[in-house]
Amino acid sequence: MIVRFGYVAMSTIVENASPSRTMTATNFQKLDDREAAVRRLERIAEENLRNTLRLLRHNRAHDVHLYRLSSKLIPLLSHELLSGWDPFPVLEQPFRDIGDYAKEHGMRLSFHPDHFTVLSSPREEVLRNSYLDLDIHVRMLEEMGLDERAKCNIHIGGAYGNKETAAARFVDSFKRMTPRIQRRMTLENDDKTFTARETLEVCEQLGDVPVPMVLDIHHHQVNTGGDLLDEELWTRICRTWANQRIPPKIHASSPKSEKDPRGHADYVNADQVLTFLQLASQTGTPKLDVMLEAKMKDGALFRLMDDLRQKEGLRLLDQATVEIL
DNA sequence: ACCTGTCAAGTCTGG
DNA sequence: CCAGACTTGACAGGT
C-alpha cells in the first residue's frame, strides 16, 4: 500500500507565508474610504493566494502531494458588510496559478470549511449561510480550474438533542444542494457527536449522490460510540470512495494530553498511525492519503517521516510517501 | 520586538 | 433565556 502524507494550510518551516491573513470586520468599518478598504481586502487576498503558491512550491520540493487550502484565503468574503463585492475577477490569475501548479505536479488539494457550516441545523439562516459558504469554497476550486477530485470536507454538525432527526435533516439539506456542490463534498466523523459509523451511515444513505467519507482516526479514538475500527468498518468506508479516481483519505493527529485528549498535539505518534496503516494495508487498500492535523503542520509531517524510517514493515519512497510492505 | 485580549459566523452546557 | 466554553490563527492595541 502506498501512503502519501499532507498537512493543513500553513507551514511552520517556511517563514512569513501565511495564507490566512485577514482584516476584522470592525476594522473594515473603521476605514472611511470604503473603496480603498475593499481594495485592501483584495490585496490581502492576493497575498494569501501568492503565499499559497509559495507553500505549494515548498511542498513540491519536499514531495508533499497532499495539502489542505486555508478557508480564509479571501477575508470577509460572504460577510454582510461586503454584500455585492465580487473579488473573483481581480483574483482570477492568482487562483489559476495555484490550480495550474497543483495540476502540473499532481497535487491533491482540498478545503475544510469551518464549523459554521452546519447542514444539520434547524435554523433557516444557518442553513442558508452554510449553502453560501459551500458555494464559495466550490467556486474557489473552480477558479483554480481543479476538477471534482478537489473536495470540500465537512462534519455532519450538531445533534440538537436528537441525533437521528439531526442526521435526517442533514440528509435532507444535502439533497437540496446542486450536484455541482454535492459532487465536491466529503463527510468526516467528529470528536463529540457523529461517530465514524454514524457518519458512514449518512454517506450510505446519500447513495445516489456518492459522498466519500474521510475517517479521522483521532476523532474516532475519542468518540468511538462503542465501535471497533476494524477491517469491516474500514472496508465499508473504502466503498464510499469507489469511482472517485482518488485514494481514500484519512485524518491523523494525536491527543494533546490525558487531560485534554481531544486537543491536537504538536506532533503525531508514529505507532498509532502505523497501526492503522497496517489495518488498511491488510484489507487490500492499494493507496491511501493521510492528512496530518498537528500543531507543527509540515514540521510534524517531516518528524513523522523520520520516526517511520525507524520502523519495520515499510519503506520510504520519498520525503512524504511510504510503502507498507 | 513582544504580550494580551479580541475576533463574523455555531452549538452545547450550565446557571 | 443568556453568558461562557470550546478552539484557532491572526489582528489590534498596548508596552
Side-chain angles (χ1 to χ4, degrees):
Chain A
M1 180 174 73
I2 308 293
V3 185
R4 304 188 296 182
F5 292 93
Y7 67 98
V8 175
M10 59 184 283
S11 170
T12 56
I13 295 168
V14 184
E15 308 209 320
N16 302 314
S18 169
S20 310
R21 271 204 58 206
T22 187
M23 184 193 296
T24 58
T26 26
N27 220 258
F28 177 83
Q29 272 174 305
K30 274 191 218 158
L31 300 169
D32 299 325
D33 185 346
R34 189 187 149 91
E35 278 307 302
V38 167
R39 279 198 298 277
R40 199 150 124 197
L41 286 178
E42 289 170 350
R43 275 217 320 277
I44 292 172
E46 278 180 90
E47 191 184 321
N48 287 339
L49 294 169
R50 202 166 51 234
N51 279 336
T52 298
L53 185 56
R54 285 178 61 208
L55 291 175
L56 294 189
R57 292 201 183 99
H58 162 69
N59 294 346
R60 158 115 179 98
H62 295 280
D63 309 317
V64 177
H65 290 96
L66 203 62
Y67 173 72
R68 181 194 299 164
L69 298 155
S70 164
S71 279
K72 301 189 182 79
L73 292 172
I74 307 177
L76 298 182
L77 184 59
S78 83
H79 191 281
E80 53 175 26
L81 275 175
L82 284 143
S83 64
W85 175 44
D86 179 8
F88 285 103
V90 167
L91 302 174
E92 199 177 313
Q93 195 57 49
F95 269 117
R96 186 154 315 162
D97 290 343
I98 290 169
D100 287 348
Y101 193 85
K103 283 185 282 188
E104 187 183 344
H105 298 293
M107 293 174 170
R108 178 176 185 177
L109 302 189
S110 63
F111 274 120
H112 194 345
D114 57 35
H115 64 285
F116 305 113
T117 297
V118 194
L119 297 182
S120 70
S121 179
R123 293 169 55 197
E124 212 164 299
E125 198 194 333
V126 172
L127 187 58
R128 195 170 52 239
N129 287 335
S130 299
Y131 285 155
L132 286 176
D133 200 37
L134 288 176
D135 186 84
I136 281 163
H137 279 89
V138 169
R139 173 82 189 271
M140 290 193 282
L141 294 173
E142 289 167 347
E143 292 289 328
M144 292 175 191
L146 298 173
D147 66 27
E148 285 167 356
R149 289 174 294 181
K151 304 284 189 193
C152 295
N153 180 59
I154 60 168
H155 297 283
I156 307 291
Y160 313 88
N162 186 335
K163 237 193 257 191
E164 296 214 341
T165 57
R169 213 162 34 233
F170 178 97
V171 169
D172 194 53
S173 305
F174 192 96
K175 286 184 170 169
R176 287 169 196 275
M177 301 196 299
T178 71
R180 165 181 162 258
I181 309 275
Q182 288 172 333
R183 286 197 290 262
R184 291 279 189 178
M185 304 296 300
T186 59
L187 302 182
E188 178 193 346
N189 58 307
D190 69 75
D191 56 356
K192 275 169 128 157
T193 311
F194 287 94
T195 66
R197 188 177 49 76
E198 289 162 345
T199 305
L200 175 62
E201 282 166 1
V202 169
C203 290
E204 289 173 346
Q205 269 185 61
L206 289 166
D208 37 333
V209 193
V211 185
M213 171 172 160
V214 172
L215 173 71
D216 187 311
I217 58 177
H218 179 198
H219 289 168
H220 173 72
Q221 200 181 335
V222 294
N223 184 25
T224 63
D227 296 320
L228 214 58
L229 176 47
D230 55 13
E231 294 198 15
E232 190 202 332
L233 187 61
W234 176 243
T235 303
R236 268 173 80 190
I237 292 170
C238 283
R239 217 168 282 147
T240 67
W241 289 92
N243 310 316
Q244 288 287 331
R245 297 190 300 141
I246 33 176
K249 182 164 69 179
I250 69 162
H251 290 176
S253 51
S254 294
K256 190 181 177 76
S257 62
E258 274 186 40
K259 220 178 72 175
D260 179 14
R262 297 207 329 264
H264 287 182
D266 291 354
Y267 295 97
V268 182
N269 181 302
D271 288 313
Q272 283 170 3
V273 174
L274 191 52
T275 300
F276 178 79
L277 295 183
Q278 281 158 349
L279 171 83
S281 182
Q282 277 158 28
T283 65
T285 309
K287 287 182 180 179
L288 182 70
D289 286 340
V290 180
M291 183 64 75
L292 302 179
E293 295 183 326
K295 288 256 188 298
M296 292 305 287
K297 312 290 179 188
D298 50 343
L301 193 164
F302 299 125
R303 163 115 29 129
L304 175 66
M305 296 303 290
D306 276 344
D307 292 345
L308 288 175
R309 199 190 304 274
Q310 321 296 325
K311 306 288 179 189
E312 302 281 322
L314 61 87
R315 69 189 171 103
L316 273 60
L317 299 184
D318 62 32
Q319 298 173 76
T321 310
V322 302
E323 180 178 12
I324 306 294
L325 302 168

